[in-house]
Coordinates of all heavy atoms in Angstrom, one line a residue:
M1 N 125.5 83.8 116.3 CA 124.6 84.9 116.2 C 123.2 84.5 116.4 O 122.8 83.5 116.0 CB 124.9 85.6 114.8 CG 124.5 84.8 113.6 SD 124.9 85.5 112.1 CE 126.3 84.4 111.5
S2 N 122.4 85.4 117.1 CA 121.1 85.1 117.3 C 120.3 86.3 117.7 O 120.9 87.4 118.0 CB 121.1 84.0 118.5 OG 121.6 84.7 119.7
A3 N 118.9 86.2 117.6 CA 118.1 87.3 118.2 C 117.9 87.0 119.5 O 117.5 85.8 119.9 CB 116.8 87.2 117.3
N4 N 118.0 87.8 120.4 CA 117.7 87.7 121.8 C 116.5 88.5 122.2 O 116.4 89.6 121.7 CB 118.9 88.3 122.8 CG 120.1 87.3 122.7 OD1 119.9 86.3 122.1 ND2 121.0 87.6 123.6
T5 N 115.6 87.9 123.0 CA 114.4 88.6 123.4 C 114.3 88.4 124.9 O 114.5 87.2 125.5 CB 113.1 88.0 122.8 OG1 113.2 88.2 121.5 CG2 111.9 88.6 123.4
I6 N 114.2 89.6 125.6 CA 114.1 89.5 127.1 C 112.8 90.1 127.5 O 112.4 91.2 127.1 CB 115.2 90.4 127.8 CG1 116.5 89.8 127.3 CG2 115.1 90.4 129.2 CD1 117.7 90.8 127.6
L7 N 112.1 89.4 128.2 CA 110.7 89.9 128.7 C 110.7 89.9 130.2 O 111.1 89.0 130.9 CB 109.6 88.9 128.3 CG 108.2 89.3 128.6 CD1 107.7 90.5 128.0 CD2 107.2 88.1 128.4
L8 N 110.3 91.2 130.6 CA 110.2 91.4 132.0 C 108.8 91.8 132.4 O 108.1 92.4 131.5 CB 111.2 92.6 132.4 CG 112.6 92.5 132.0 CD1 113.4 93.8 132.2 CD2 113.4 91.4 132.7
D9 N 108.2 91.5 133.5 CA 106.9 91.8 133.9 C 107.0 92.1 135.5 O 107.6 91.5 136.2 CB 105.8 90.9 133.4 CG 106.0 89.6 134.1 OD1 105.4 89.4 135.2 OD2 106.7 88.7 133.5
F10 N 106.0 93.1 135.7 CA 105.7 93.4 137.1 C 104.4 94.1 137.1 O 103.8 94.5 136.2 CB 106.8 94.3 137.6 CG 107.1 95.5 137.0 CD1 106.4 96.7 137.4 CD2 108.0 95.5 135.9 CE1 106.5 97.9 136.8 CE2 108.1 96.9 135.2 CZ 107.5 98.0 135.7
S11 N 103.8 94.2 138.4 CA 102.6 94.8 138.5 C 102.7 96.1 139.3 O 103.5 96.3 140.2 CB 101.7 93.8 139.4 OG 101.4 92.6 138.6
V12 N 101.8 97.1 139.0 CA 101.6 98.2 139.9 C 100.2 98.4 140.2 O 99.3 97.8 139.7 CB 102.0 99.5 139.0 CG1 103.4 99.4 138.6 CG2 101.2 99.6 137.7
D13 N 100.0 99.1 141.3 CA 98.7 99.3 141.8 C 97.8 100.1 140.7 O 98.3 101.1 140.1 CB 98.8 100.3 143.0 CG 97.4 100.5 143.8 OD1 96.4 100.3 143.1 OD2 97.6 100.7 145.0
T14 N 96.7 99.7 140.4 CA 95.8 100.3 139.4 C 95.4 101.7 139.7 O 95.1 102.4 138.8 CB 94.5 99.3 139.2 OG1 93.8 99.3 140.4 CG2 94.8 98.0 138.6
T15 N 95.6 102.2 141.0 CA 95.3 103.6 141.2 C 96.3 104.4 140.6 O 96.2 105.7 140.4 CB 95.1 103.8 142.8 OG1 96.4 103.5 143.3 CG2 94.0 103.0 143.4
N16 N 97.5 103.8 140.2 CA 98.6 104.6 139.6 C 98.4 104.7 138.0 O 99.3 105.3 137.4 CB 100.0 103.9 139.9 CG 100.3 104.1 141.3 OD1 100.1 105.0 142.0 ND2 101.0 103.0 141.8
L17 N 97.3 104.3 137.4 CA 97.2 104.2 136.1 C 96.5 105.4 135.5 O 95.7 105.3 134.5 CB 96.5 102.9 135.6 CG 97.2 101.6 136.0 CD1 96.4 100.4 135.5 CD2 98.6 101.6 135.5
T18 N 96.6 106.5 136.3 CA 96.3 107.9 135.6 C 97.2 108.2 134.4 O 98.3 107.5 134.2 CB 96.2 108.9 136.6 OG1 97.6 109.0 137.1 CG2 95.3 108.6 137.7
E19 N 96.9 109.2 133.7 CA 97.8 109.6 132.6 C 99.1 109.9 133.1 O 100.2 109.5 132.8 CB 97.3 110.8 131.9 CG 98.1 111.3 130.6 CD 97.5 112.3 129.9 OE1 96.2 112.4 129.9 OE2 98.3 113.1 129.3
E20 N 99.2 110.7 134.3 CA 100.5 111.1 135.0 C 101.1 109.8 135.5 O 102.4 109.8 135.5 CB 100.2 112.1 136.1 CG 99.7 113.5 135.5 CD 98.1 113.5 135.4 OE1 97.4 112.5 136.0 OE2 97.7 114.3 134.6
G21 N 100.4 108.9 136.1 CA 101.0 107.7 136.8 C 101.6 106.9 135.6 O 102.8 106.3 135.9
I22 N 101.0 106.7 134.4 CA 101.5 105.9 133.3 C 102.8 106.5 132.8 O 103.9 105.9 132.6 CB 100.5 105.7 132.2 CG1 99.4 104.7 132.6 CG2 101.1 105.2 131.0 CD1 98.3 104.7 131.8
Q23 N 102.8 107.8 132.7 CA 104.1 108.6 132.3 C 105.2 108.4 133.3 O 106.4 108.2 132.8 CB 103.7 110.1 132.2 CG 102.9 110.3 130.9 CD 102.6 111.9 130.8 OE1 103.0 112.6 131.7 NE2 101.8 112.1 129.8
S24 N 104.8 108.4 134.5 CA 105.9 108.2 135.6 C 106.4 106.7 135.6 O 107.6 106.6 135.7 CB 105.2 108.4 137.0 OG 106.2 108.1 138.0
I25 N 105.6 105.7 135.4 CA 106.0 104.3 135.3 C 106.9 104.3 134.1 O 108.1 103.6 134.2 CB 104.8 103.4 135.1 CG1 103.9 103.4 136.5 CG2 105.2 102.0 134.7 CD1 102.6 102.8 136.2
E26 N 106.5 104.8 132.9 CA 107.4 104.6 131.7 C 108.6 105.4 132.0 O 109.8 104.8 131.5 CB 106.6 105.3 130.7 CG 107.4 105.2 129.3 CD 106.5 105.9 128.2 OE1 105.4 105.4 127.8 OE2 106.9 107.1 127.7
S27 N 108.7 106.5 132.5 CA 109.9 107.2 132.8 C 110.8 106.5 133.7 O 112.1 106.5 133.5 CB 109.6 108.6 133.4 OG 110.8 109.3 133.8
D28 N 110.3 105.8 134.7 CA 111.1 105.2 135.7 C 111.7 103.9 135.1 O 112.9 103.5 135.1 CB 110.2 104.6 136.9 CG 109.9 105.8 137.8 OD1 110.5 106.9 137.8 OD2 109.0 105.6 138.7
V29 N 110.9 103.1 134.2 CA 111.4 102.0 133.4 C 112.4 102.4 132.4 O 113.6 101.9 132.4 CB 110.3 101.2 132.6 CG1 110.9 100.3 131.7 CG2 109.3 100.6 133.6
V30 N 112.3 103.5 131.7 CA 113.3 104.0 130.8 C 114.7 104.3 131.5 O 115.7 104.0 131.0 CB 112.8 105.2 130.0 CG1 113.9 105.9 129.2 CG2 111.7 104.7 129.0
K31 N 114.5 105.1 132.6 CA 115.8 105.5 133.3 C 116.5 104.2 133.9 O 117.7 104.2 133.8 CB 115.4 106.3 134.6 CG 114.9 107.8 134.2 CD 114.6 108.5 135.5 CE 114.0 109.9 135.0 NZ 113.4 110.5 136.2
T32 N 115.8 103.3 134.3 CA 116.3 101.9 134.8 C 117.0 101.3 133.6 O 118.2 100.8 133.7 CB 115.3 101.1 135.4 OG1 114.8 101.7 136.6 CG2 116.0 99.9 135.9
L33 N 116.4 101.2 132.4 CA 116.9 100.5 131.3 C 118.2 101.3 130.9 O 119.2 100.7 130.5 CB 115.9 100.4 130.2 CG 114.8 99.4 130.4 CD1 113.9 99.4 129.3 CD2 115.5 98.0 130.5
E34 N 118.1 102.6 130.8 CA 119.3 103.4 130.3 C 120.5 103.0 131.3 O 121.6 102.9 130.8 CB 119.0 104.8 130.3 CG 118.1 105.2 129.2 CD 117.5 106.7 129.2 OE1 117.7 107.3 130.2 OE2 117.1 107.1 128.2
S35 N 120.2 102.9 132.6 CA 121.3 102.7 133.5 C 121.9 101.3 133.3 O 123.0 101.0 133.2 CB 120.8 102.8 134.9 OG 121.7 102.3 135.8
Q36 N 120.9 100.2 133.2 CA 121.3 98.9 133.0 C 121.9 98.5 131.6 O 122.9 97.8 131.6 CB 120.2 97.9 133.2 CG 119.6 98.0 134.6 CD 120.6 97.5 135.6 OE1 121.3 96.4 135.4 NE2 120.8 98.2 136.6
L37 N 121.5 99.3 130.5 CA 122.1 99.1 129.2 C 123.2 100.0 129.0 O 123.8 99.8 127.8 CB 120.9 99.3 128.2 CG 119.8 98.4 128.3 CD1 118.6 98.9 127.2 CD2 120.1 96.9 127.9
K38 N 123.7 100.8 130.0 CA 124.6 101.7 129.8 C 124.5 102.6 128.4 O 125.4 102.8 127.7 CB 126.0 101.0 129.8 CG 126.3 100.3 131.1 CD 127.5 99.3 131.0 CE 127.7 98.7 132.4 NZ 126.8 97.9 132.8
S39 N 123.4 103.1 128.3 CA 122.9 103.8 127.2 C 122.5 105.4 127.7 O 121.9 105.4 128.7 CB 121.6 103.3 126.6 OG 121.2 104.0 125.7
E40 N 123.0 106.2 126.9 CA 122.8 107.7 127.3 C 121.3 108.0 127.3 O 120.7 108.6 128.1 CB 123.6 108.6 126.4 CG 125.0 108.6 126.7 CD 125.7 109.7 125.8 OE1 125.1 110.7 125.4 OE2 127.0 109.6 125.7
S41 N 120.7 107.6 126.2 CA 119.1 107.7 126.1 C 118.6 106.7 125.1 O 119.2 106.3 124.2 CB 118.8 109.2 125.8 OG 119.2 109.5 124.5
L42 N 117.4 106.4 125.4 CA 116.6 105.5 124.5 C 115.7 106.5 123.6 O 115.1 107.5 124.1 CB 115.7 104.6 125.3 CG 116.3 103.7 126.2 CD1 115.2 102.8 126.9 CD2 117.2 102.9 125.5
Q43 N 115.7 106.3 122.3 CA 115.0 107.1 121.4 C 113.4 106.7 121.4 O 113.3 105.4 121.0 CB 115.6 107.0 119.9 CG 114.8 107.8 118.9 CD 115.4 107.6 117.6 OE1 116.4 107.0 117.3 NE2 114.8 108.2 116.6
N44 N 112.5 107.6 121.7 CA 111.2 107.2 121.6 C 110.7 107.2 120.2 O 110.9 108.1 119.5 CB 110.4 108.2 122.4 CG 108.9 107.7 122.6 OD1 108.4 107.0 121.8 ND2 108.3 108.3 123.5
L45 N 110.2 106.1 119.9 CA 109.5 105.8 118.5 C 108.1 106.1 118.3 O 107.7 106.7 117.5 CB 109.9 104.3 118.0 CG 111.3 104.1 117.8 CD1 111.5 102.6 117.3 CD2 112.2 105.1 116.9
T46 N 107.5 105.6 119.4 CA 106.0 105.8 119.3 C 105.3 105.6 120.7 O 105.8 104.9 121.5 CB 105.2 104.9 118.3 OG1 103.8 105.1 118.2 CG2 105.4 103.4 118.6
K47 N 104.3 106.3 120.9 CA 103.4 106.0 122.2 C 102.1 106.0 121.7 O 101.6 106.7 120.8 CB 103.7 107.1 123.1 CG 104.9 107.2 123.8 CD 105.0 108.3 124.8 CE 106.3 108.4 125.5 NZ 106.5 109.3 126.6
S48 N 101.2 105.1 122.3 CA 99.8 105.0 121.9 C 99.0 104.4 123.0 O 99.4 103.6 123.7 CB 99.6 104.2 120.6 OG 100.1 102.9 120.7
E49 N 97.7 104.8 123.1 CA 96.7 104.2 123.8 C 96.3 102.8 123.1 O 96.1 102.9 121.9 CB 95.5 105.1 124.1 CG 95.9 106.4 124.8 CD 96.2 106.2 126.2 OE1 95.7 105.3 126.9 OE2 97.2 106.8 126.7
I50 N 95.9 102.0 123.8 CA 95.4 100.6 123.3 C 93.9 100.7 123.3 O 93.4 101.0 124.4 CB 96.0 99.3 124.1 CG1 97.5 99.3 124.2 CG2 95.5 98.1 123.4 CD1 98.2 99.4 122.9
P51 N 93.3 100.5 122.2 CA 91.8 100.5 122.2 C 91.1 99.8 123.3 O 90.2 100.2 123.7 CB 91.4 100.1 120.9 CG 92.7 100.3 119.9 CD 93.9 100.1 121.0
S52 N 91.6 98.5 123.6 CA 91.0 97.7 124.6 C 91.4 98.1 126.0 O 91.0 97.5 127.0 CB 91.4 96.3 124.4 OG 92.8 96.1 124.4
G53 N 92.2 99.2 126.1 CA 92.7 99.7 127.5 C 94.2 99.5 127.6 O 94.8 98.6 127.1
G54 N 94.7 100.4 128.3 CA 96.2 100.4 128.5 C 97.0 101.3 127.6 O 96.4 102.1 127.0
H55 N 98.3 101.1 127.6 CA 99.2 102.1 126.9 C 100.5 101.4 126.5 O 100.8 100.3 127.1 CB 99.6 103.2 128.0 CG 100.6 104.2 127.5 ND1 100.2 105.2 126.8 CD2 101.9 104.2 127.5 CE1 101.3 106.0 126.5 NE2 102.3 105.3 126.8
M56 N 100.9 101.8 125.5 CA 102.2 101.0 124.8 C 103.2 102.2 124.4 O 102.7 103.2 123.8 CB 101.9 100.2 123.8 CG 103.0 99.5 123.2 SD 102.6 98.2 121.8 CE 102.3 99.4 120.6
A57 N 104.4 101.9 124.6 CA 105.5 102.8 124.1 C 106.6 102.0 123.5 O 106.8 100.9 124.0 CB 106.1 103.8 125.2
V58 N 107.2 102.5 122.3 CA 108.2 101.7 121.6 C 109.5 102.5 121.6 O 109.3 103.8 121.2 CB 107.8 101.2 120.3 CG1 108.8 100.4 119.7 CG2 106.5 100.3 120.3
F59 N 110.5 102.0 121.9 CA 111.8 102.8 122.0 C 112.9 102.0 121.2 O 112.9 100.8 121.1 CB 112.4 102.9 123.4 CG 111.5 103.8 124.2 CD1 110.5 103.2 125.0 CD2 111.7 105.2 124.5 CE1 109.6 103.9 125.8 CE2 110.8 105.9 125.3 CZ 109.8 105.4 126.0
L60 N 113.8 102.9 120.6 CA 115.0 102.2 120.1 C 116.3 102.5 120.9 O 116.4 103.5 121.5 CB 115.3 103.1 118.7 CG 116.5 102.5 117.8 CD1 116.1 101.1 117.4 CD2 116.7 103.5 116.7
G61 N 116.9 101.3 121.3 CA 118.0 101.4 122.1 C 119.3 101.1 121.6 O 119.4 101.0 120.3
P62 N 120.3 100.7 122.4 CA 121.6 100.4 121.9 C 121.7 99.2 121.0 O 120.9 98.3 121.2 CB 122.5 100.3 123.2 CG 121.5 100.0 124.3 CD 120.2 100.6 123.9
R63 N 122.5 99.2 120.1 CA 122.8 98.1 119.1 C 121.5 97.7 118.3 O 121.2 96.6 118.0 CB 123.3 97.0 119.8 CG 124.8 96.9 120.3 CD 125.2 95.6 120.7 NE 125.7 95.6 122.0 CZ 125.9 94.5 122.8 NH1 125.7 93.3 122.2 NH2 126.3 94.5 124.0
G64 N 120.7 98.7 118.0 CA 119.4 98.5 117.3 C 118.3 97.8 118.0 O 117.5 97.3 117.4
S65 N 118.4 97.8 119.4 CA 117.4 97.0 120.1 C 116.2 97.8 120.0 O 116.2 99.0 119.9 CB 118.0 96.9 121.7 OG 118.2 98.1 122.2
V66 N 115.0 97.0 120.0 CA 113.7 97.6 120.1 C 113.1 97.2 121.5 O 113.2 96.1 121.9 CB 112.9 97.0 119.1 CG1 111.4 97.5 119.1 CG2 113.4 97.4 117.7
I67 N 112.6 98.3 122.3 CA 112.1 98.0 123.6 C 110.7 98.5 123.7 O 110.5 99.7 123.2 CB 113.0 98.9 124.6 CG1 114.4 98.4 124.5 CG2 112.6 98.7 126.0 CD1 115.4 99.4 125.2
T68 N 109.8 97.5 124.0 CA 108.4 97.9 124.1 C 108.1 97.8 125.6 O 108.4 96.9 126.3 CB 107.6 96.8 123.4 OG1 108.1 96.7 122.1 CG2 106.1 97.1 123.4
I69 N 107.4 98.9 126.0 CA 106.9 99.0 127.3 C 105.2 99.0 127.2 O 104.7 99.9 126.5 CB 107.3 100.2 128.1 CG1 108.7 100.3 128.2 CG2 106.7 100.4 129.5 CD1 109.4 101.5 128.6
R70 N 104.7 98.1 127.8 CA 103.1 97.9 127.7 C 102.6 98.0 129.2 O 103.0 97.2 130.1 CB 102.8 96.8 127.0 CG 101.3 96.5 126.9 CD 100.8 96.6 125.5 NE 99.3 96.4 125.7 CZ 98.6 95.5 125.1 NH1 99.2 94.4 124.4 NH2 97.3 95.4 125.2
V71 N 101.6 98.9 129.5 CA 101.0 98.9 130.7 C 99.5 98.5 130.4 O 98.8 99.1 129.6 CB 100.9 100.4 131.3 CG1 100.2 100.4 132.5 CG2 102.4 100.8 131.4
Y72 N 99.0 97.4 131.1 CA 97.7 96.9 130.9 C 96.7 97.5 131.9 O 97.2 97.9 133.0 CB 97.8 95.5 131.1 CG 98.5 94.5 130.1 CD1 99.8 94.4 130.0 CD2 97.7 94.1 128.9 CE1 100.5 93.8 129.1 CE2 98.4 93.4 128.0 CZ 99.9 93.2 128.0 OH 100.4 92.6 127.0
P73 N 95.5 97.6 131.6 CA 94.6 98.1 132.5 C 94.5 97.6 133.9 O 94.1 98.2 135.0 CB 93.2 98.0 131.9 CG 93.4 97.6 130.5 CD 94.9 97.0 130.4
N74 N 94.9 96.3 134.1 CA 94.8 95.6 135.4 C 96.2 95.8 136.1 O 96.3 95.3 137.3 CB 94.5 94.1 135.2 CG 95.8 93.4 134.5 OD1 96.7 94.0 134.1 ND2 95.6 92.1 134.4
G75 N 97.0 96.7 135.8 CA 98.2 96.9 136.5 C 99.4 96.3 136.1 O 100.6 96.4 136.5
L76 N 99.4 95.2 135.2 CA 100.5 94.5 134.6 C 101.4 95.4 133.6 O 100.8 96.0 132.9 CB 100.1 93.3 133.9 CG 101.2 92.4 133.3 CD1 102.1 91.8 134.3 CD2 100.6 91.3 132.3
V77 N 102.7 95.3 133.9 CA 103.5 96.2 133.1 C 104.5 95.2 132.5 O 105.2 94.4 133.2 CB 104.3 97.2 133.8 CG1 105.3 98.0 132.9 CG2 103.3 98.2 134.6
T78 N 104.7 95.1 131.2 CA 105.7 94.3 130.6 C 106.6 95.1 129.8 O 106.3 96.2 129.2 CB 105.1 93.3 129.5 OG1 104.4 94.1 128.5 CG2 104.0 92.4 130.1
V79 N 108.0 94.7 129.8 CA 109.0 95.3 129.1 C 109.8 94.3 128.2 O 110.1 93.2 128.8 CB 110.0 95.8 130.1 CG1 111.2 96.6 129.4 CG2 109.4 97.0 131.1
N80 N 109.6 94.4 126.9 CA 110.2 93.4 126.0 C 111.4 94.2 125.4 O 111.3 95.2 124.7 CB 109.1 93.2 125.0 CG 109.6 92.0 124.1 OD1 110.2 91.0 124.5 ND2 109.4 92.1 122.8
I81 N 112.5 93.4 125.4 CA 113.8 94.0 124.7 C 114.1 92.9 123.8 O 114.4 91.9 124.0 CB 115.0 94.1 125.8 CG1 114.4 95.1 126.9 CG2 116.1 94.7 125.2 CD1 115.3 95.0 128.2
D82 N 114.3 93.5 122.5 CA 114.6 92.5 121.3 C 115.8 93.2 120.5 O 115.8 94.2 120.2 CB 113.3 92.4 120.4 CG 113.4 91.3 119.4 OD1 113.7 90.2 119.7 OD2 113.4 91.7 118.2
Y83 N 116.8 92.3 120.4 CA 118.0 92.7 119.6 C 118.7 91.6 119.0 O 118.6 90.4 119.5 CB 118.9 93.6 120.5 CG 119.5 92.8 121.7 CD1 120.9 92.2 121.6 CD2 118.9 92.4 122.9 CE1 121.6 91.5 122.5 CE2 119.4 91.7 123.8 CZ 120.8 91.3 123.7 OH 121.4 90.6 124.7
Y84 N 119.6 92.0 118.1 CA 120.4 90.9 117.5 C 121.7 90.8 118.1 O 122.3 91.9 118.5 CB 120.6 91.5 116.0 CG 121.6 90.4 115.2 CD1 121.1 89.3 114.8 CD2 122.9 90.9 115.0 CE1 121.9 88.3 114.0 CE2 123.8 90.0 114.3 CZ 123.2 88.8 113.9 OH 124.0 88.0 113.1
L85 N 122.1 89.7 118.4 CA 123.5 89.5 119.2 C 124.4 88.8 118.3 O 124.3 87.6 117.8 CB 123.3 88.6 120.3 CG 124.6 88.2 121.3 CD1 125.2 89.6 121.7 CD2 124.2 87.4 122.4
E86 N 125.4 89.5 117.8 CA 126.6 89.0 117.0 C 127.5 88.1 117.9 O 127.6 88.1 119.1 CB 127.4 90.1 116.5 CG 126.7 91.1 115.6 CD 127.7 92.1 114.9 OE1 128.9 91.8 114.6 OE2 127.3 93.2 114.9
E87 N 127.9 87.0 117.2 CA 128.7 86.0 117.8 C 130.0 86.5 118.4 O 130.5 87.5 117.8 CB 129.2 85.0 116.8 CG 129.7 83.7 117.3 CD 129.9 82.6 116.3 OE1 129.0 82.6 115.4 OE2 130.8 81.9 116.3
G88 N 130.2 86.3 119.6 CA 131.3 86.7 120.4 C 131.1 88.1 121.1 O 132.0 88.6 121.9
K89 N 129.9 88.7 121.0 CA 129.7 90.0 121.6 C 128.9 89.7 123.0 O 128.3 88.6 123.2 CB 128.6 90.9 120.7 CG 129.2 91.3 119.5 CD 130.2 92.3 119.6 CE 130.8 92.8 118.2 NZ 131.6 94.0 118.3
I90 N 129.0 90.6 123.9 CA 128.4 90.6 125.2 C 127.0 90.9 125.0 O 126.6 91.9 124.4 CB 129.2 91.5 126.2 CG1 130.7 91.0 126.3 CG2 128.5 91.4 127.4 CD1 131.4 92.1 127.0
P91 N 126.1 90.1 125.8 CA 124.6 90.5 125.7 C 124.4 91.9 126.3 O 125.2 92.3 127.1 CB 124.0 89.5 126.6 CG 125.0 88.2 126.5 CD 126.3 88.9 126.4
L92 N 123.3 92.5 125.9 CA 123.0 93.9 126.5 C 122.6 93.7 128.0 O 123.0 94.5 128.7 CB 121.8 94.3 125.8 CG 122.0 95.0 124.4 CD1 120.7 95.4 123.8 CD2 123.0 96.1 124.4
L93 N 122.0 92.6 128.3 CA 121.5 92.3 129.7 C 121.9 90.9 130.0 O 121.7 90.0 129.2 CB 120.0 92.6 129.9 CG 119.6 94.0 130.1 CD1 118.1 94.0 130.1 CD2 120.2 94.7 131.1
T94 N 122.2 90.6 131.3 CA 122.3 89.1 131.7 C 121.3 88.9 132.6 O 120.5 89.7 133.1 CB 123.8 88.9 132.2 OG1 123.8 89.8 133.5 CG2 124.9 89.2 131.2
L95 N 121.0 87.7 133.0 CA 120.2 87.3 134.0 C 120.6 87.4 135.4 O 120.0 87.0 136.4 CB 119.7 85.8 133.7 CG 119.0 85.7 132.3 CD1 118.5 84.2 132.1 CD2 117.8 86.5 132.2
E96 N 121.8 88.0 135.6 CA 122.3 88.2 136.9 C 121.7 89.4 137.5 O 121.5 90.4 137.0 CB 123.8 88.3 136.7 CG 124.4 87.0 136.2 CD 126.0 87.2 136.0 OE1 126.5 88.3 136.3 OE2 126.4 86.4 135.5

């Protein structure tokens, strides 16, 4: 048994960092994760603007996973998936 953390990151053009653009990025990431995690939907726990710039959203996913999507003002987007993996269970995501 262990806690698993998966960190993904990618960059987007900063011209996409309007309010609508950030919502679109978040929506695309959530749809992709729901597909990959074979989850019907992720439960949105919170969304907030970061005082130093950027945006963050936190979701609850399958098996009690916590998923954080962070959009930085320079176009960097990080997706952090944190969950507990019971011994003998299949991971939520593999590196394949």
Side-chain angles (χ1 to χ4, degrees):
M1 65 186 112
S2 62
N4 280 8
T5 300
I6 301 165
L7 177 62
L8 309 168
D9 66 85
F10 56 94
S11 294
V12 297
D13 188 335
T14 56
T15 59
N16 293 325
L17 298 183
T18 63
E19 185 175 332
E20 296 81 20
I22 289 172
Q23 289 176 357
S24 177
I25 292 165
E26 183 181 293
S27 176
D28 289 347
V29 169
V30 167
K31 286 178 188 173
T32 300
L33 287 174
E34 287 172 343
S35 170
Q36 293 299 312
L37 298 173
K38 298 174 180 60
S39 174
E40 288 185 23
S41 64
L42 302 180
Q43 179 185 354
N44 186 340
L45 298 178
T46 184
K47 292 183 184 187
S48 60
E49 297 293 321
I50 305 297
S52 60
H55 178 83
M56 182 179 76
V58 180
F59 295 85
L60 184 61
R63 291 196 239 163
S65 57
V66 175
I67 300 164
T68 305
I69 301 170
R70 174 116 187 239
V71 181
Y72 291 85
N74 65 355
L76 178 66
V77 179
T78 61
V79 180
N80 186 44
I81 304 167
D82 187 56
Y83 68 99
Y84 178 75
L85 180 62
E86 291 182 40
E87 194 169 324
K89 296 284 184 175
I90 297 172
L92 285 176
L93 288 175
T94 64
L95 299 177
E96 297 174 2

